Each structure stands twice: as C-alpha cells, then as structure tokens.
Amino acid sequence: MDTAATVQVSGMTHVYVSDAQANPALENIGLTIRPGEFVSLLGPSGCGKTTLLSIIAGLIRPTRGQVLINGREIVSPTSRVGYMLQQDYLFPWRTIYGNAVIGLELLGRLNKETGAYVDHLLEEMGLAAFRDYRPAQLSGGMRQRVALVRTLAAKPELLLLDEPFSALDYQTKLQLEDLVVQTLRSRGKTALLVTHDITEAIAMSDRIILLEPHPGRIRREIAVPEHIRRTLPVEAREKPGFHELFHEIWQEFERMGGKEAET
Ligand code: ADP
Ligand code: MG
C-alpha cells in the first residue's frame, strides 16, 4: 500500500481582494482527515469548495490559517498532493501514455521504473490498448481515466478531486465513481472530493463536510453509515438508509437556500 496523508486544516480564512471589493470566500475552516479516509466537501456553488482545495494544493496562499500534510505545512504545490479537475487538460498532440507521464517528466522522475508503473496504471484503468492513441480519439470517461492515471503516477499521498465527474453522462459518471473508489481504497489513499451532488457525496465518502456559502463555513459533518461506506458507489445507492440520508442533507440545502434569500 502507498503512503497516505493526514491532513490538518486550521483557522482557514480566505478573502479575495480586488480594487472594488473584498469577497470573503472562507471563514475559519478547521478539519482533520485521517490517513486513508475519503472525505467529501459538499455544498452549493460559491461556498468556497474550489478555493479550499486550491489552498490545500498549495496554489493559493490563504489570508489566515494553515494546512499541514503529515505535519508539514503546505506553502506551494508539491508532488505529495495530486489534483484532478472537472476538465481533463490533456495535451491533444501527446499520446495517452505521453499525457499520463507528463507530471513525472516535469518532476524529472520519469525513468524505466516509473514509466512501467504508468503502464501498469493504464492497464488497471482499461486503457492499455489506447496507450498510443491521442486524446481526441477517446470518450470523455476514458479521458478522465487518463487524468486519473496522470494524477496517480507520482504516487501522491493525498488526492484532491474537484468535481471530476460533473461533465460526464450519468452512466459514465457512475462507472468512474466506482473505479475511483476502488483504486483509492486498494491503495489506502487519503482523498478529498469536492462536489455539489449529494448522491455522489454519500455514495463515495466515509464522511461528508457540508459547507454553507457567504462566507464559506462548515455547517455540518455527516458520517456515512458503515454499511453504505463498505460498498462501491453504484451499489451504495441501493442500500437501506441511503435515501433517508439524501433527504436529510437535501433539507439542509433547502435551509441554506433560505439563508441566502435573507441576505
Ligand atoms: P465553489 O467551488 O464552492 O463554487 P469557489 O471557491 O469557486 O466556490 O468560490 C467561492 C467564492 O469566492 C465565490 O463567491 C466566488 O465568486 C469567489 N471567488 C472565487 N475565485 C475568485 C477569484 N479568483 N477572485 C475573486 N473572487 C473569487
Ligand atoms: Mg468549484
């Protein structure tokens, strides 16, 4: 099993400042993620999910607060953290293999051994036959699988996933949810998924952190029941208690909508 990260976010506040105004995006966020845990950040658009992920990835310096990964502060991007986005950002002129190894290349770590690991990942994701194809020859779901291989290639301790399924059709999205959970679980990776999709959050994660907007704050934490957690996302949707939990979170969303209407 690979190394997994403990993530500690404390006193995290972020204000976007421009000439005309200050936009408080996050206010006093604190959270801890255990090694191997899969946590979802769930909330409506604009509640600061992407901002929080960008800070954890070291892409934005927060106004206040800090992020520790295995006790070390994150102040700039690092290969210890893998980041997967809604868009796959594959280079059209490179082959699938060429795209999958690009992170390793940039780190100066592409060699026989790491290259073979990438081929192993491509095989595991059902992409071995497409190794020498170009991205344009692949479907959206396959391209996201390539993006997943690229993210895993440098063996990050933590995976950050920012709505990686939201541009896919429903069936492809469900298949990829299963594949991601299976892949991360078998390696014991720590993962933080951003989504506005309640069903996806319940089906994929061990724990859900519900954020509210304006400014982004933690509203509630929800532990997903053990019997739902144990199964893969597609099957999880059929488990007793799933719909009740969906309904409970849905109502919380409705109340947040009310909060927004007041302001
Ligand atoms: P989410 O991912 O939950 O939709 P974001 O983190 O993208 O939320 O945005 C949180 C808030 O910060 C929103 O009000 C958004 O308009 C604002 N925001 C995001 N990025 C910037 C930026 N680069 N400059 C100014 N404001 C921003
Ligand atoms: Mg976002």
Side-chain angles (χ1 to χ4, degrees):
M1 222 178 254
D2 300 348
T3 332
T6 301
V7 183
Q8 289 164 288
V9 174
S10 54
M12 182 66 63
T13 292
H14 191 69
V15 182
Y16 286 106
V17 182
S18 66
D19 297 344
Q21 55 188 347
N23 181 1
L26 294 171
E27 192 174 272
N28 200 24
I29 303 284
L31 60 98
T32 299
I33 308 175
R34 292 183 292 276
E37 200 180 13
F38 195 121
V39 172
S40 285
L41 285 174
L42 175 67
S45 167
C47 69
K49 303 183 296 294
T50 294
T51 302
L52 184 53
L53 231 56
S54 303
I55 293 171
I56 295 174
L59 297 166
I60 303 181
R61 294 286 291 142
T63 308
R64 268 197 302 283
Q66 66 173 2
V67 180
L68 300 177
I69 296 184
N70 289 337
R72 280 200 281 160
E73 190 172 5
I74 295 294
V75 289
S76 57
T78 152
S79 62
R80 296 158 64 209
V81 178
Y83 206 161
M84 190 173 160
L85 306 167
Q86 180 182 337
Q87 262 193 295
D88 53 54
Y89 295 107
L90 299 178
F91 292 111
W93 60 87
R94 283 198 166 217
T95 62
I96 296 313
Y97 177 83
N99 271 285
V101 297
I102 199 155
L104 289 168
E105 245 177 62
L106 292 170
L107 292 164
R109 276 168 44 192
L110 180 60
N111 54 43
K112 222 171 165 182
E113 190 191 338
T114 57
Y117 180 61
V118 168
D119 269 321
H120 168 78
L121 287 170
L122 287 173
E123 171 101 50
E124 195 178 326
M125 307 287 160
L127 291 166
F130 303 93
R131 184 185 190 278
D132 301 319
Y133 283 47
R134 311 277 158 188
Q137 296 171 283
L138 269 56
S139 68
M142 291 165 85
R143 294 166 59 112
Q144 275 303 52
R145 268 146 54 198
V146 179
L148 180 62
V149 170
R150 185 185 54 195
T151 309
L152 291 169
K155 299 194 176 177
E157 297 160 30
L158 169 68
L159 259 99
L160 302 174
L161 308 155
D162 195 346
E163 314 218 16
F165 315 113
S166 55
L168 304 172
D169 63 76
Y170 190 67
Q171 200 188 348
T172 307
K173 168 186 143 82
L174 293 192
Q175 286 167 346
L176 202 60
E177 280 181 17
D178 269 15
L179 184 69
V180 166
V181 167
Q182 222 162 12
T183 306
L184 300 189
R185 212 177 265 169
S186 68
R187 292 177 165 77
K189 295 271 188 211
T190 309
L192 185 56
L193 169 77
V194 156
T195 181
H196 59 264
D197 180 333
I198 302 173
T199 311
E200 185 173 291
I202 302 172
M204 292 189 74
S205 36
D206 299 319
R207 186 154 55 98
I208 298 170
I209 295 173
L210 193 58
L211 293 177
E212 61 179 34
H214 311 302
R217 287 198 201 113
I218 294 181
R219 185 174 179 104
R220 248 184 91 178
E221 277 197 34
I222 300 136
V224 176
E226 173 69 28
H227 69 282
I228 297 177
R229 249 190 279 167
R230 260 203 316 266
T231 55
L232 289 174
V234 171
E235 202 191 326
R237 287 170 164 83
E238 308 296 325
K239 292 287 168 191
F242 190 96
H243 291 285
E244 288 76 1
L245 190 52
F246 175 89
H247 190 67
E248 194 186 326
I249 299 174
W250 175 260
Q251 284 182 319
E252 200 73 40
F253 263 66
E254 297 268 285
R255 284 193 284 271
M256 280 195 259
K259 183 205 161 202
E260 235 176 325
E262 287 160 24
T263 54

